[in-house]
Amino acid sequence: MKGTLQDAVPVTAGRVSPAPDDLYSASSVRDLFDRMSRSYERVNTALSLGFSVLWRRRLARLVPPQPADARILDAMCGMGETWTALVRRFPGTNLVALDFSSRMVDRARARSAARHGGKIAVVQNDMLVSGLSDGSLDVLVSAYGVKTFDRLQTELFVEELARILKPGGHFALIEVTEPPHRILRALYRFYIGVVVPRLARLLVAETEEYRMLARYLRAYGDGERTAAALASHPLLTVETRRHFFGCATSFNGRRVVV
């Protein structure tokens, strides 16, 4: 993105949380992803049976084609796992990424240098207080980040999304969710909560971090709090789609022109 957008992002820790040891506190979420940074991409790809990659591609396709000077933000970017899909979908656009896990940011910057010629700027900041200018983005996308917000944080995220998108700008989010069908939901919970941590131990000797992901997923459920917050905002339109029987859910729309 243009320099003024990149320069507008200070490093802060502004996530709102009811208690420092809460599941959704800034320190809890940041520490979790700092610890997982060494193995997250390969384990997530393997244990999702490749669906995590497929859904990232689908995320990119939820946004219409953009002009070459479009400003696109990958919010809560992790290690930049979505960039391949974004660069293919929007060649030549100005892509910047944001995450508040310092270790994820370090790995994302290394990926930018190694795979994208350093053209993707990665900034460290909390998405809830991004520091970006009003109406500075044409597109915002995010994969697998919104489940780490509680209801209040979700509302703050939606307010920030509406603030930094240009009128007519587009957004797309995708998140793992629990399927609505009772039997499939029970099987899904067993796989995520029991099988995934055990397989993770075989792959990388880390289990607690992947048990934590199961806690976030179960608390997030079918994504209703994200859908409701987006639908209730007067400046946003939203369309919700279920993928693979509800094992993932996407939310895409635009900021209205008033």
Side-chain angles (χ1 to χ4, degrees):
M1 292 192 174
K2 296 180 180 179
T4 55
L5 178 61
Q6 296 172 18
D7 295 341
V9 185
V11 176
T12 62
R15 180 156 311 200
V16 175
S17 179
D21 59 347
D22 185 80
L23 182 68
Y24 298 102
S25 71
S27 58
S28 296
V29 177
R30 185 186 295 110
D31 290 350
L32 173 65
F33 284 97
D34 278 348
R35 295 195 307 271
M36 295 179 70
S37 63
R38 183 174 62 88
S39 62
Y40 181 75
E41 182 175 10
R42 67 179 184 274
V43 173
N44 193 37
T45 300
L47 299 185
S48 71
L49 307 178
F51 278 99
S52 63
V53 176
L54 174 66
W55 292 332
R56 289 180 193 276
R57 293 172 184 165
R58 190 158 296 174
L59 171 70
R61 294 198 298 270
L62 290 172
V63 178
Q66 298 293 309
D69 62 348
R71 299 176 174 183
I72 301 175
L73 175 69
D74 179 14
M76 298 170 283
C77 68
M79 295 182 287
E81 302 97 317
T82 309
W83 296 348
T84 298
L86 293 175
V87 169
R88 287 176 179 171
R89 176 66 170 162
F90 310 112
T93 57
N94 298 306
L95 176 62
V96 70
L98 181 150
D99 201 285
F100 80 161
S101 162
S102 60
R103 293 185 184 177
M104 288 288 192
V105 166
D106 288 344
R107 291 183 181 273
R109 287 172 176 162
R111 180 190 293 260
S112 176
R115 304 187 188 183
H116 302 281
K119 295 180 180 179
I120 301 173
V122 185
V123 293
Q124 183 181 348
N125 207 356
D126 192 328
M127 183 58 218
L128 300 186
V129 282
S130 70
L132 298 173
S133 301
D134 293 358
S136 57
L137 296 175
D138 295 285
V139 175
L140 181 147
V141 298
S142 185
Y144 313 126
V146 293
K147 67 177 173 294
T148 63
F149 295 147
D150 64 16
R151 191 168 295 275
L152 172 59
Q153 292 164 348
T154 299
E155 293 172 357
L156 294 174
F157 166 71
V158 170
E159 286 290 342
E160 187 73 351
L161 168 65
R163 183 186 69 80
I164 61 182
L165 275 181
K166 292 179 179 179
H170 293 266
F171 69 90
L173 319 169
I174 199 161
E175 187 55 88
V176 289
T177 47
E178 291 194 326
H181 190 279
R182 181 173 57 84
I183 296 176
L184 182 56
R185 183 169 63 250
L187 292 173
Y188 194 54
R189 285 180 175 178
F190 178 78
Y191 180 73
I192 296 294
V194 178
V195 177
V196 164
R198 291 181 180 178
L199 291 176
R201 169 167 286 186
L202 293 176
L203 292 172
V204 292
E206 297 171 355
T207 59
E208 183 56 34
E209 289 83 355
Y210 292 92
R211 288 196 182 96
M212 287 295 296
L213 286 183
R215 287 184 62 193
Y216 282 108
L217 174 60
R218 187 153 188 174
Y220 189 63
D222 63 359
E224 177 275 334
R225 64 176 177 255
T226 302
L230 290 166
S232 64
H233 198 286
L235 294 180
L236 298 175
T237 66
V238 62
E239 183 175 354
T240 300
R241 293 180 174 90
R242 304 295 179 186
H243 306 278
F244 197 68
F245 307 105
C247 292
T249 301
S250 63
F251 313 91
N252 68 287
R254 59 195 290 269
R255 188 187 188 280
V256 300
V257 179
V258 294

